[in-house]
Amino acid sequence: MGYPPDEEQRILIIGAGELGTAMLEGLVRSRHSAPSSITILLRASTIDSTDTDKRRANAHLVSLGASLTAGDIVNDGEEHLASIFARYDAVIVCSGFGFPPGTQLRITKAVLRAGVERYFPWQWGIDYDIVGEGSAHDLFDEQLEVRKLLRAQSEVDWVVVSTGLFVSFIFVAAFGPVDLGTRTLRALGSWDRTQLSVTTPRDIGRVAAEIVYDPRDIHRQIVFVAGDTVSYGDVADLVQKRFGGQWRRELWDMRTLKQRLDENPDDHWAKYQNIFGEGRGVAWDMADTVNVQRGLEMQTVERYLQDMKDLEE
């Protein structure tokens, strides 16, 4: 399913955080010239806000050519959301982190009810099929339910883009792999056997735009994207190479990670640590990614480190 080159696509992006903004930038700067109108769905309070930062962010979105429309994916009902989605040919969900359970299912049901032509759900992450049901992170089961809904119908074309972890998350101290403040490097699961795929939001936007404007044979399926696929040992070596000096290395094996989760069952980061420590569904071969197959250059972990500021002594 593709669009004639002279036919305008009406695209709706849900959310304008780091990923939503990167998605908009990827679409408007795509190497594929295609007529389109792009709208961003935001809460009415965000659109009408007098807060200086929010007004500046909204102005940036508009300067890129986007229109803003009001909607609330947490509080609006399925019928109301469907009435909004029905105005568009493609819906791209870029909001999901930290939202209440059931949010992504309600969005998906509204998309199917609206009969949207193409749908990119909030699945910019790991391969939930491989992780499976009953994982350490309870919200992952909802992502599997979203996939079941999509596979059970044929009216709406859909694409799940598995991107792995945002590169920046490697450097979140609470997650663990790199704690810049204490100069500590950690492996989740193992140093060499456990791998993870990572991508920057900017590159996710670029590849998503590639699929939106030039889908070729990508329809009703899961595809993979990555700027890099690395082991925790690779990450540690690259960090030491970039910043120099002394670093402490710690191995958090699965026994340690499970104990941390048992002691803190509601700890959001402990859940992620167990998922990534298991190493299932969180890494893929670079040769299998859309970006490699289409010759798109992406930011690796090493290049990301080069762009980081030097550490203060």
Side-chain angles (χ1 to χ4, degrees):
M1 183 184 302
Y3 286 86
D6 57 346
E7 183 176 325
E8 180 179 273
Q9 287 193 63
R10 299 164 298 169
I11 300 170
L12 178 69
I13 299 173
I14 298 178
E18 184 179 17
L19 180 58
T21 301
M23 191 67 62
L24 172 61
E25 292 171 346
L27 288 167
V28 300
R29 295 168 182 166
S30 172
R31 63 181 181 174
H32 295 286
S33 177
S36 62
S37 64
I38 305 173
T39 302
I40 311 289
L41 183 78
L42 299 172
R43 289 190 178 98
S45 59
T46 299
I47 295 174
D48 300 331
S49 176
T50 58
D51 178 79
T52 301
D53 290 339
K54 289 184 178 179
R55 288 173 64 88
R56 184 182 299 115
N58 291 345
H60 175 63
L61 301 174
V62 173
S63 73
L64 290 171
S67 302
L68 308 181
T69 193
D72 188 334
I73 58 174
V74 173
N75 296 308
D76 288 348
E78 178 186 324
E79 183 176 358
H80 180 69
L81 289 174
S83 70
I84 297 173
F85 299 161
R87 307 173 203 157
Y88 303 95
D89 302 304
V91 172
I92 306 173
V93 186
C94 295
S95 287
F97 196 75
F99 283 155
T103 301
Q104 299 307 320
L105 272 173
R106 186 169 61 259
I107 294 172
T108 301
K109 289 176 181 177
V111 164
L112 299 181
R113 184 170 183 167
V116 171
E117 190 159 348
R118 300 190 77 207
Y119 178 45
F120 293 76
W122 170 260
Q123 302 248 338
W124 318 92
I126 63 181
D127 187 345
Y128 302 104
D129 287 336
I130 300 298
V131 173
E133 295 181 351
S135 68
H137 206 306
D138 42 356
L139 289 181
F140 288 0
D141 283 356
E142 181 178 340
Q143 300 290 54
L144 288 170
E145 291 301 313
V146 167
R147 294 187 178 196
K148 288 178 183 177
L149 279 178
L150 295 175
R151 287 166 169 153
Q153 56 80 50
S154 57
E155 290 77 17
V156 174
D157 189 14
W158 55 272
V159 181
V160 165
V161 185
S162 295
T163 62
L165 193 72
F166 283 9
V167 180
S168 58
F169 275 46
I170 294 175
F171 304 95
V172 175
F175 182 43
V178 180
D179 186 336
L180 297 173
T182 63
R183 298 180 74 91
T184 303
L185 304 168
R186 299 188 184 92
L188 306 182
S190 71
W191 283 108
D192 300 317
R193 294 190 309 276
T194 312
Q195 293 189 314
L196 67 163
S197 292
V198 295
T199 317
T200 65
R202 176 180 177 272
D203 283 340
I204 293 172
R206 291 172 58 230
V207 180
E210 182 88 9
I211 299 169
V212 169
Y213 290 138
D214 185 23
R216 302 182 197 177
D217 59 348
I218 297 177
H219 303 288
R220 298 177 53 79
Q221 70 186 91
I222 299 162
V223 297
F224 296 91
V225 168
D228 217 344
T229 293
V230 291
S231 69
Y232 292 100
D234 294 332
V235 172
D237 291 343
L238 289 169
V239 170
Q240 285 197 278
K241 175 183 175 183
R242 167 64 178 85
F243 296 115
Q246 296 297 312
W247 292 77
R248 184 172 69 254
R249 294 198 182 202
E250 298 177 353
L251 170 62
W252 286 0
D253 59 17
M254 287 311 301
R255 181 178 178 181
T256 301
L257 294 175
K258 288 177 180 177
Q259 182 178 345
R260 288 172 60 85
L261 183 58
D262 288 342
E263 294 172 353
N264 302 279
D266 297 323
D267 188 317
H268 160 85
W269 290 112
K271 295 177 181 180
Y272 274 106
Q273 288 163 357
N274 274 263
I275 295 292
F276 281 88
E278 289 280 3
R280 297 178 63 254
V282 301
W284 32 88
D285 194 308
M286 293 297 295
D288 295 331
T289 63
V290 173
N291 45 286
V292 167
Q293 292 166 357
R294 296 200 181 188
L296 292 174
E297 185 177 353
M298 307 274 273
Q299 190 170 35
T300 62
V301 173
E302 184 169 21
R303 285 182 55 198
Y304 186 91
L305 281 161
Q306 291 169 356
D307 291 341
M308 292 177 66
K309 295 181 180 178
D310 292 338
L311 300 182
E312 295 181 3
E313 297 296 336

